[in-house]
Amino acid sequence: MGAKPFTNPRGTRDLLGENLVLIKHLERTASMVAAVAGYQEVRTPLFEETRLFKRSLGEASDVVEKEMFSVPRRGSEGAEAMAKGFTFRPEGTASTARAYVQGGFAASAPLQKWFYIGPMFRYERPQKGRERQFNQFGVEAFGAQSASLDSEVVGIAVRFFQELGFDDQLEVRVNSMGDAEDREKWSQVLREFFAEQMQGSSERCADCQSRYTRNVFRLLDCKSTRCIELNEGAPNLFAVMGDAAASHHQQFIACLNNLGLKVIDDPSIVRGLDYYTRTVFEVHYPPLGARSALCGGGRYDGLVEEMGGRPTPGVGFSVGFTPTELALAELNLPAAADLADLRQQLLPQVYGVAVSDEQRDDLFILCEKLRRAGISVELDYRGKSLKAQFKEANRSGARWAIVLGDSENENKQIVLKNMQQKTEQIIAQDDLLAALKDA
Ligand code: HAM
């Protein structure tokens, strides 16, 4: 007996077969909805300097505090090595803002609309819909503060889910985090409001108590029933918001209404990352109950400057494939017809069968010729009997079998068998490609 077999790390998956069909469908749907809105694909590295994420997402965010996959920098020791180290990206916005600054776009072509699809890494407790490596589709638009750009981004998110088959129960829940100075004022009034709840034997959960000083907004999105009750009457940002942010929010909602989207004001949306300013939103599908949130995003007008660039506004969203897959399974989506072509790609078009071992080499050469012409071909490599090869041909789902026996081979012919209709004909090997292409 060898050693105990290795398994994949918790919170990761090996994707193949049917699972990969769905992922590929999500990928092409994402690329399509982004491309029609004029967004170009961007691919940034899977890891960045750790301090990039600390600076952009916020030291007090859950992601930075508890969920980073980090490695130390070689040549440094201890805390310094970690501080100067690298982290597998937990999300895509920070990297794209870094790439925007590094690419000098603010000077050359400030309006940039990008999308990305790829793996992100968060050291979370794996559970339904949450993994440690998961794919995200995201879009980020830099260089304009117009509320119509916020609505365009929301529209892409909604269209992604519509294309996957979600119906008109999709809703957009929106809020605003105001501008930097509004946030500052708001955090003060929130701290005053919650101060009493933090004293003595507080009924607030431990998370809220630790967030009170570090990121008081997060008390508003606590999911504990008692904390939700205690949030009743908490001051609203709109009471302290400046005119510019308030009018941006009104324009944003008007745009969404014009697009015919179902819009709901939701003051509990504060998002877990520090970079948000003004617009924040989530797309929900209420029939999914507690897991109705499908994606999230918002505006980050200070982020590019935070990354060392010129002041440049930005807005985007991202959606995790893992929760999307769960939602689709629950809703019996997407329609089988939408996946038919991808499923078909898993099947060979032709299966090559050698009547005896003497024909294997010539069969292989014939199969390679077909492959070079773009026809997918499978054949046996494990010395299976004729009967077992036919069994494999059936199991493979191939529409055609080509069968090479001694006499056909001598005459430069081959048997072409239609596996569904169970009909066959002998044709010249030179005509095989044309016959398959005709069929
Ligand atoms: P986020 O809300 O942290 O925002 O993540 C966006 C989406 O990623 C979530 O709605 C969820 O679908 C998915 N997700 C997050 N963590 C996990 C996990 N452990 N397993 C599976 N899926 C997960 C961001 O990442 C921002 N960058 C969004 C954004 C883009 N804001 C502006 N632009």
Side-chain angles (χ1 to χ4, degrees):
M1 272 292 270
K4 191 169 169 247
F6 288 104
T7 54
N8 61 317
R10 243 160 70 76
T12 68
R13 269 188 291 171
D14 299 316
L15 289 169
L16 69 165
E18 182 61 28
N19 285 338
L20 203 46
V21 163
L22 183 56
I23 298 281
K24 284 184 174 176
H25 183 60
L26 297 180
E27 286 170 354
R28 71 176 173 185
T29 307
S31 309
M32 187 271 289
V33 296
V36 297
Y39 287 67
Q40 281 187 17
E41 186 172 3
V42 57
R43 297 189 190 193
T44 59
L46 294 194
F47 65 93
E48 299 271 357
E49 285 190 70
T50 298
R51 57 192 188 94
L52 174 84
F53 299 116
K54 286 194 174 171
R55 172 78 71 85
S56 53
L57 314 186
E59 299 262 3
S61 63
D62 283 352
V63 175
V64 168
E65 247 189 0
K66 311 184 213 158
E67 299 171 356
M68 304 247 276
F69 273 100
S70 301
V71 291
R73 183 185 288 257
R74 290 194 188 168
S76 303
E77 296 291 325
E80 193 195 339
M82 286 316 283
K84 290 185 171 170
F86 302 96
T87 292
F88 283 94
R89 60 182 191 190
E91 58 102 60
T93 313
S95 310
T96 49
R98 196 264 309 134
Y100 181 88
V101 174
Q102 194 173 341
F105 292 99
S108 57
L111 185 71
Q112 289 292 323
K113 304 203 297 182
W114 294 347
F115 81 92
Y116 50 86
I117 301 168
M120 307 292 162
F121 306 83
R122 295 188 193 180
Y123 207 137
E124 290 194 56
R125 191 170 64 81
Q127 51 186 306
K128 248 186 159 183
R130 305 302 272 191
E131 294 179 289
R132 289 182 174 166
Q133 176 178 331
F134 56 96
N135 285 308
Q136 259 189 2
F137 157 48
V139 311
E140 314 290 353
F142 296 96
Q145 209 172 30
S146 157
S148 56
L149 195 56
D150 305 36
S151 329
E152 176 175 290
V153 161
V154 172
I156 295 171
V158 171
R159 211 169 305 131
F160 174 69
F161 295 110
Q162 285 171 338
E163 287 291 332
L164 293 173
F166 287 77
D167 61 24
D168 58 10
Q169 294 177 80
L170 281 170
E171 60 190 36
V172 186
R173 300 193 186 167
V174 298
N175 194 19
S176 175
M177 300 298 290
D179 286 320
E181 52 280 14
D182 304 331
R183 280 177 69 126
E184 195 43 51
K185 272 191 224 153
W186 191 33
S187 73
Q188 272 169 23
V189 291
L190 281 177
R191 279 208 191 92
E192 278 160 28
F193 177 82
F194 288 124
E196 213 173 297
Q197 296 181 15
M198 295 298 134
Q199 283 159 11
S201 55
S202 171
E203 288 183 77
R204 301 276 334 187
C205 71
D207 271 350
C208 283
Q209 293 189 41
S210 82
R211 284 170 177 163
Y212 174 74
T213 38
R214 293 179 301 116
N215 188 348
V216 66
F217 310 120
R218 297 296 310 283
L219 270 64
L220 299 172
D221 76 350
C222 183
K223 302 291 180 281
S224 135
T225 318
R226 184 63 190 133
C227 294
I228 292 172
E229 284 168 12
L230 289 167
N231 284 346
E232 194 85 5
N236 193 310
L237 170 67
F238 289 90
V240 293
M241 195 188 285
D243 290 346
S247 106
H248 181 270
H249 192 63
Q250 277 165 7
Q251 286 167 27
F252 170 54
I253 292 188
C255 276
L256 293 179
N257 286 330
N258 288 340
L259 292 179
L261 299 175
K262 198 180 279 175
V263 184
I264 293 180
D265 266 313
D266 185 346
S268 78
I269 296 181
V270 293
R271 314 279 304 140
L273 309 169
D274 269 12
Y275 50 60
Y276 291 110
T277 53
R278 298 194 175 185
T279 300
V280 281
F281 73 91
E282 290 175 0
V283 175
H284 282 248
Y285 191 69
L288 295 168
R291 272 197 297 272
S292 69
L294 295 173
C295 76
R299 198 161 255 294
Y300 40 83
D301 291 346
L303 181 61
V304 168
E305 201 176 354
E306 195 70 39
M307 299 285 96
R310 294 185 191 183
T312 306
V315 57
F317 82 89
S318 45
V319 50
F321 281 3
T322 325
T324 308
E325 287 170 75
L326 259 187
L328 289 171
E330 211 168 311
L331 302 170
N332 230 343
L333 292 171
D338 291 346
L339 302 179
D341 60 328
L342 290 170
R343 288 201 174 114
Q344 195 64 40
Q345 283 172 18
L346 292 175
L347 312 178
Q349 290 162 291
V350 176
Y351 197 97
V353 173
V355 172
S356 66
D357 285 345
E358 284 74 58
Q359 289 89 48
R360 283 183 187 268
D361 288 348
D362 289 334
L363 177 70
F364 181 68
I365 291 166
L366 275 172
C367 290
E368 281 290 301
K369 269 192 194 151
L370 295 182
R371 286 170 172 166
R372 256 179 300 200
I375 292 176
S376 66
V377 188
E378 203 41 277
L379 72 164
D380 170 53
Y381 305 93
R382 307 210 303 161
K384 290 199 173 179
S385 69
L386 181 61
K387 195 170 156 204
Q389 288 179 66
F390 270 114
K391 225 169 150 182
E392 280 301 318
N394 270 317
R395 206 187 342 234
S396 76
R399 194 166 156 217
W400 303 97
I402 49 173
V403 187
L404 192 60
D406 199 24
S407 60
E408 291 93 27
N409 207 16
E410 259 176 25
N411 299 324
K412 294 278 165 237
Q413 291 177 318
I414 193 156
V415 178
L416 178 62
K417 180 168 177 172
N418 184 318
M419 298 297 284
Q420 276 149 18
Q421 293 166 6
K422 308 274 179 232
T423 54
E424 57 182 54
Q425 51 179 316
I426 297 179
I427 58 171
Q429 290 178 5
D430 283 345
D431 296 338
L432 178 59
L433 183 59
L436 283 168
K437 287 211 156 154
D438 277 356

